[in-house]
Amino acid sequence: MLKPFEQYVLKYQDMVYNIAWHVTRNQHDAEDIAQESFVRAFEHFTDFSTGEPPKSWLCTVTLNLCRDWLRRQKPVLSGEEKDYRGGGQAADQPEERAAVKEALNALDPESRLLVVLFHLEGFSHKEISEMTGMPISMIKNRLFRARKKMKEILMAEGLRR
Amino acid sequence: MNVQHLDEELLDRFAFGEPGELDEVERLRVEEHLAKCSKCSEALELLVRSVRMVEYWGSVKAPESLITRVRMKLRHKTVAPLMPIVVIALGITDVARLWVLAWSLSGGLSTIVEALPRMLEALSYGWTGILRVVLEIVAGSWLRMGGISAQMGVLLTVGGLVLLMRRKEWAN
């Protein structure tokens, strides 16, 4: 792999994988999506005046791949699904991580994705709107409801941190 | 005294709204209320703490296998522009190997011995690789038996098929 592209992968692999994993909730599919995202980034690597595909562009590619995946999975996946296995971090996880997983698991995939983009990856409402095509008002509303739901679950779990 | 508490949505906007989302008057009103209302302050604190927990524990790191997978996938991509030349070169060596196989070996066991390492290599390419090697072995056996025109016919046909299969292997 070419050096600049390898550095690009190293820079964004956690973000891409994080998004993919929170949608798919399994390592294999998340890796497939992340790999395909980087292959597409490689194909367009020299197309940008910035010297590399911007973070938001890469994120949009990942989101589109996640949506394709969700479309294929629809009959199986639901917000109520309890199987929320972490990316290889399951055995000795502290209670807080388990509680957070449960809280995130309680959200529908779209809301979870918004939480990941806004709270874990630090995108603004406007950036998320551009990436997902959702109106900003809808994003704010869904984030509000997601935070409310997560708070209720974490309070029930004791909210230790 | 009947106290009017802040509603959840306003508290949420106060805590996580982007700059400018609450105007100055609204923001001051919330701050003043929070200063004297322990119930709303507690509600705000719980909301912020729960989100901080999610931010702290929610992220998942990419496994080390990811970059290896990307490398493997891109190796094929970077070789792709050279593919026609590589395929033709490999096709020529395949045909040449067939010719040597036909004329220098006594056949039977030695043909199989020569074919074994090729079989192992072919396994890594999946069904096209295996089919190609089988075809080469069969063609090699025929070549030893036929006349010169039959030999040329077999060589050209098998050579073409081998080229097509090589192309498919490299495309993968």
Side-chain angles (χ1 to χ4, degrees), chain B residues 86-138:
Chain B
V86 173
V87 165
I88 289 167
L90 286 171
I92 290 168
T93 54
D94 280 338
V95 173
R97 194 188 294 113
L98 267 182
W99 191 264
V100 171
L101 196 67
W103 292 107
S104 66
L105 297 175
S106 56
L109 184 65
S110 54
T111 307
I112 295 165
V113 170
E114 138 82 7
L116 266 177
R118 308 258 305 113
M119 273 291 197
L120 290 174
E121 177 219 334
L123 279 172
S124 67
Y125 287 118
W127 69 270
T128 56
I130 294 165
L131 195 62
R132 177 168 54 76
V133 172
V134 169
L135 201 62
E136 286 175 10
I137 294 165
V138 172

Side-chain angles (χ1 to χ4, degrees), chain A residues 105-147:
Chain A
N105 192 35
L107 305 176
D108 62 274
E110 286 276 349
S111 298
R112 191 163 54 241
L113 199 54
L114 293 178
V115 169
V116 171
L117 294 175
F118 187 76
H119 287 291
L120 304 187
E121 299 303 334
F123 287 105
S124 67
H125 293 142
K126 186 168 176 281
E127 286 171 318
I128 297 172
S129 173
E130 284 164 1
M131 289 188 291
T132 59
M134 264 188 222
I136 290 180
S137 55
M138 187 191 280
I139 292 167
K140 285 180 181 174
N141 191 261
R142 292 188 89 158
L143 277 171
F144 160 64
R145 281 188 281 141
R147 284 190 287 258

Side-chain angles (χ1 to χ4, degrees), chain A residues 1 6 14 22 32 35 147, chain B residues 12 49 58 60 62 69 71:
Chain A
M1 199 173 359
E6 183 145 354
D14 284 343
H22 275 96
D32 280 351
Q35 178 190 300
R147 284 190 287 258
Chain B
D12 184 88
R49 277 175 65 196
V60 180
R69 284 184 60 171
R71 277 192 197 118

Side-chain angles (χ1 to χ4, degrees), chain B residues 2-21:
Chain B
N2 191 14
V3 181
Q4 179 79 35
H5 292 294
L6 299 171
D7 74 56
E8 282 182 303
E9 193 169 1
L10 183 61
L11 269 182
D12 184 88
R13 280 165 62 207
F14 179 76
F16 300 107
E18 288 180 336
E21 205 161 307

Side-chain angles (χ1 to χ4, degrees), chain A residues 1 9-10 12-18 20 27-38, chain B residues 61-73:
Chain A
M1 199 173 359
V9 175
L10 288 170
Y12 292 123
Q13 64 172 356
D14 284 343
M15 177 194 80
V16 169
Y17 183 78
N18 202 20
Q27 183 172 344
H28 182 76
D29 290 338
E31 273 195 65
D32 280 351
I33 289 173
Q35 178 190 300
E36 187 54 30
S37 301
F38 284 117
Chain B
K61 280 202 169 301
E64 285 178 14
S65 54
L66 177 60
I67 195 150
T68 312
R69 284 184 60 171
V70 175
R71 277 192 197 118
M72 293 282 282
K73 187 78 182 174

Side-chain angles (χ1 to χ4, degrees), chain A residues 43-99:
Chain A
E43 286 164 353
H44 295 275
F45 199 58
T46 53
D47 294 358
F48 296 88
S49 56
T50 46
E52 62 181 35
K55 184 181 173 186
S56 58
W57 181 92
L58 181 63
C59 193
T60 307
V61 169
T62 310
L63 290 178
N64 288 337
L65 290 167
C66 286
R67 283 186 168 159
D68 291 345
W69 185 91
L70 277 175
R71 265 193 289 275
R72 293 197 300 270
Q73 305 295 314
K74 233 164 196 167
V76 181
L77 198 82
S78 87
E80 302 306 312
E81 194 176 340
K82 293 292 175 200
D83 184 14
Y84 196 91
R85 279 162 290 209
Q89 305 155 334
D92 57 349
Q93 59 184 298
E95 285 174 45
E96 287 92 339
R97 184 187 287 281

